[in-house]
């Protein structure tokens, strides 16, 4: 299966991909299994896109490594960065559209 998403630089800090917001390159994402073990990492490209490929079916937690002096505006808050729990199944082996927004 596969898991993909996009990293966005949230210029106005409103937690919504809008206005002058743009993709953010070079951010590392982690995919962990239900036990918390690191399964894989991926890095966002020039448009902010990232993809994990050849992911076995199962349940995973997707998170980002925040750059120094940045905070998350979505899916979490500056005080409590968020993650996604994703389950890949035989019926749905590919999961897409996971957004992470940050402000400096």
């Amino acid at each position: 299966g596969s898991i993909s998403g996009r990293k966005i630089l949230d210029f106005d800090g409103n937690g919504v991909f809008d206005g002058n917001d743009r993709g953010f390159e070079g951010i590392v994402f982690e995919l962990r299994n239900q036990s918390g073990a690191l399964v894989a990492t991926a890095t966002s490209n020039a448009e902010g896109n990232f993809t994990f490929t050849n992911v076995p079916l199962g349940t995973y937690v997707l998170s980002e490594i925040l750059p120094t002096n940045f905070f998350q505006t979505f899916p979490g808050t500056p005080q409590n960065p968020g993650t996604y729990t994703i389950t890949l199944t035989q019926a749905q082996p590919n999961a897409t559209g996971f957004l992470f927004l940050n402000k400096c």
Side-chain angles (χ1 to χ4, degrees):
S2 67
I3 296 172
S4 63
R6 191 164 186 209
K7 175 63 171 197
I8 303 297
L9 186 55
D10 186 7
F11 282 105
D12 59 10
N14 67 352
V16 177
F17 182 22
D18 61 4
N20 293 323
D21 299 347
R22 62 173 175 79
F24 194 23
E25 181 178 16
I27 304 305
V28 176
F29 293 86
E30 294 183 334
L31 195 60
R32 295 183 178 271
N33 64 20
Q34 286 185 298
S35 300
L38 183 64
V39 173
T41 61
T43 303
S44 59
N45 67 15
E47 292 80 37
N49 298 314
F50 64 90
T51 302
F52 295 91
T53 57
N54 299 316
V55 180
L57 302 181
T59 300
Y60 300 92
V61 174
L62 173 63
S63 62
E64 67 177 323
I65 297 176
L66 284 165
T68 303
N69 297 321
F70 279 76
F71 61 87
Q72 194 180 82
T73 61
F74 184 85
T77 65
Q79 298 77 24
N80 189 20
T83 61
Y84 291 98
T85 299
I86 303 161
T87 300
L88 300 181
T89 64
Q90 191 71 27
Q92 187 169 355
N94 303 305
T96 64
F98 299 100
L99 289 177
F100 287 87
L101 281 71
N102 289 164
K103 177 146 178 67
C104 180

